[in-house]
Amino acid sequence: MSSISVTRIQRELKDIKSECSGQNIKIELYNDEYTNLRGEIVGPPETPYHGGVFKLIIKIPESYPFNPPKVSFETKIWHPNISSVTGAICLDILKDQWAAALTLRTVLLSLQALLSDAEPDDPQDAVVARQFKENKRAFLKTAKFWAQHYAHAPGPVDKDCVEKLKKATEMGFFKDVSLEALSKYSWNLETAIQHLTN
Amino acid sequence: MEPSTDQPGTSHSTTNPISDGSGENNGQFECNICLDTAKDAVISYCGHLFCWPCLHQWLETKPNRQECPVCKAGIGKDKVVPLYGRGSTNNQDPREKLPPRPQAQRPEAENRNPGFPGLNFGDGSFQMSFGIGAFPFGFFGTLFNINDGRPRPPPFGGAQYQDEQMLSRVFLWVAVILMFWLFFL
């Protein structure tokens, strides 16, 4: 670990403590070596993610800040630019548009902005992106249900979703797998079950 | 420079001092890359402050995309201005301090097969005799281990050394047998 990356992370963590109390983001060390961090962002208002707490895995490469940190979602999320399976993120500043003056704070703020403004034309999860474009209502319903189910977002839960998920789990399928299938087939119970049995 | 620049968290730095390029005008002199007080400071034409070593490393990381890390304006070694504070004893241009980039080298073109005539003469008998004539010289070349940048021989007495000795003896015998075959058949 080069010393510049360590001193910079120390510096950033100090600044985040003094600045980000009101910004709904949080970053803390995961180990003592400044290579592994955990972040948290709160879903922004007027989105299906509103109020959900999304945990992030942040890995700092040795060449930080000259190369971007590796960030992925630990909390499952239904979003066109985030893999619903692995949590991998498609965001330009985490790839070729990274600049050394960006910080973990600005990355987390960008991710919050990404939750508000999806880019379905540059998707990470093709299934979610197609649903976003072709069936926006189903997308919003699914994204909100996922936020409530995995990220503890507040608000009344969609009864239709709960019922269908219950039916699928009663048939002996795991909850996560059932939710994934139902989400993929826009809450059409029959096709989801058909997919699960195959 | 005011001493308070080294103490973020005082009333002096209530606004954001870093990372989005808006904070440099309120008495902060922090490098936009290492976030520490800039050493060997340089400033870009777009107005952003860096330590020269930090900026140098950034430019080395992205040789194809020389952009300001803050605002993505064009930037380069000749597009930054060094800053000299009052009383600094060393007024050397910070850009000269880092070891300069290694200079491009221009090795002599390697002249392979100097004067090799074999391909020009289609006549089979000549090639045959040439091959025989050259054979022992090439062989001696390897035997005397002429220094031509190959890995060093293994240490005396090691397992690899013994293996190589054995191989060399085998090849010597093959060569001797071949010569006998050529001369007497």
Side-chain angles (χ1 to χ4, degrees):
Chain A
M1 200 71 188
S2 73
S3 67
I4 178 166
S5 80
V6 172
T7 50
R8 214 186 106 146
I9 295 292
Q10 288 172 334
R11 189 82 202 204
E12 283 190 41
L13 288 173
K14 205 164 121 193
D15 289 348
I16 282 166
K17 270 195 191 123
S18 59
E19 285 165 22
C20 296
S21 43
Q23 278 175 314
N24 293 330
I25 63 173
K26 205 161 100 184
I27 299 175
E28 52 197 26
L29 280 177
Y30 191 70
N31 63 5
D32 293 335
E33 286 169 36
Y34 296 95
T35 52
N36 251 311
L37 294 94
R38 286 295 182 275
E40 253 179 45
I41 55 175
V42 176
E46 289 166 44
T47 68
Y49 314 103
H50 180 38
V53 178
F54 296 92
K55 292 196 166 112
L56 300 156
I57 299 170
I58 305 169
K59 289 193 172 142
I60 307 293
E62 202 166 318
S63 51
Y64 185 80
F66 301 101
N67 283 308
K70 294 182 169 61
V71 186
S72 60
F73 274 80
E74 192 179 14
T75 308
K76 283 171 90 66
I77 183 167
W78 192 254
H79 186 284
N81 303 106
I82 301 156
S83 165
S84 61
V85 182
T86 63
I89 302 166
C90 177
L91 184 63
D92 56 356
I93 61 159
L94 291 175
K95 289 168 188 163
D96 55 330
Q97 291 299 310
W98 171 254
L102 293 171
T103 61
L104 295 177
R105 189 179 71 92
T106 52
V107 166
L108 263 56
L109 291 175
S110 302
L111 285 174
Q112 251 179 347
L114 185 68
L115 295 191
S116 306
D117 259 316
E119 286 277 353
D121 293 323
D122 185 17
Q124 174 77 34
D125 194 310
V127 174
V128 184
R130 200 186 309 128
Q131 192 183 62
F132 183 95
K133 283 165 117 175
E134 292 171 3
N135 191 350
K136 191 72 179 273
R137 258 185 73 188
F139 166 80
L140 290 172
K141 180 173 160 176
T142 314
K144 187 167 184 186
F145 189 75
W146 277 51
Q148 289 171 332
H149 188 81
Y150 291 115
H152 313 293
V157 186
D158 193 312
K159 281 194 184 121
D160 177 53
C161 296
V162 177
E163 221 165 84
K164 283 174 177 164
L165 185 59
K166 203 177 161 197
K167 271 184 191 160
T169 45
E170 274 168 3
M171 291 179 73
F173 300 109
F174 286 113
K175 209 170 188 182
D176 283 358
V177 183
S178 315
L179 180 52
E180 218 160 272
L182 282 164
S183 306
K184 189 174 173 185
Y185 293 103
S186 302
W187 300 93
N188 185 327
L189 188 60
E190 276 167 35
T191 39
I193 297 291
Q194 211 169 12
H195 170 79
L196 283 169
T197 40
N198 283 341
Chain B
M1 191 171 293
E2 294 173 57
S4 59
T5 48
D6 281 330
Q7 300 162 1
T10 60
S11 59
H12 196 76
S13 58
T14 44
T15 51
N16 171 23
I18 47 154
S19 75
D20 48 22
S22 62
E24 279 80 15
N25 54 359
N26 59 357
Q28 299 287 338
F29 295 100
E30 286 167 348
C31 165
N32 278 289
I33 293 177
C34 66
L35 312 184
D36 216 336
T37 307
K39 296 177 191 73
D40 296 331
V42 293
I43 194 155
S44 64
Y45 285 180
C46 47
H48 297 115
L49 183 70
F50 306 97
C51 307
W52 171 245
C54 292
L55 184 64
H56 179 81
Q57 200 174 338
W58 170 250
L59 296 176
E60 294 275 296
T61 313
K62 307 251 156 158
N64 303 324
R65 215 168 54 100
Q66 307 256 296
E67 290 176 347
C68 170
V70 180
C71 69
K72 306 207 165 172
I75 199 170
K77 188 181 175 180
D78 51 344
K79 287 184 192 143
V80 292
V81 181
L83 290 185
Y84 305 117
R86 180 177 168 270
S88 61
T89 46
N90 187 0
N91 270 349
Q92 193 192 0
D93 186 335
R95 289 173 293 174
E96 306 301 328
K97 273 193 182 174
L98 271 198
R101 281 194 303 182
Q103 293 201 329
Q105 293 186 359
R106 238 186 143 269
E108 286 300 310
E110 213 174 298
N111 199 357
R112 290 199 172 186
N113 302 331
F116 181 64
L119 292 179
N120 295 336
F121 298 85
D123 150 350
S125 67
F126 177 84
Q127 279 199 344
M128 185 58 138
S129 63
F130 179 82
I132 293 166
F135 177 73
F137 295 114
F139 184 69
F140 285 133
T142 52
L143 196 65
F144 295 135
N145 207 359
I146 292 165
N147 189 7
D148 55 356
R150 289 180 302 174
R152 298 177 67 81
F156 182 80
Q160 200 193 345
Y161 176 83
Q162 286 181 1
D163 283 353
E164 284 189 10
Q165 286 297 306
M166 161 83 162
L167 257 183
S168 110
R169 249 174 258 135
V170 168
F171 280 121
L172 189 68
W173 276 110
V174 170
V176 168
I177 290 162
L178 255 173
M179 297 245 275
F180 271 94
W181 179 75
L182 280 169
F183 280 118
F184 299 107
L185 288 179

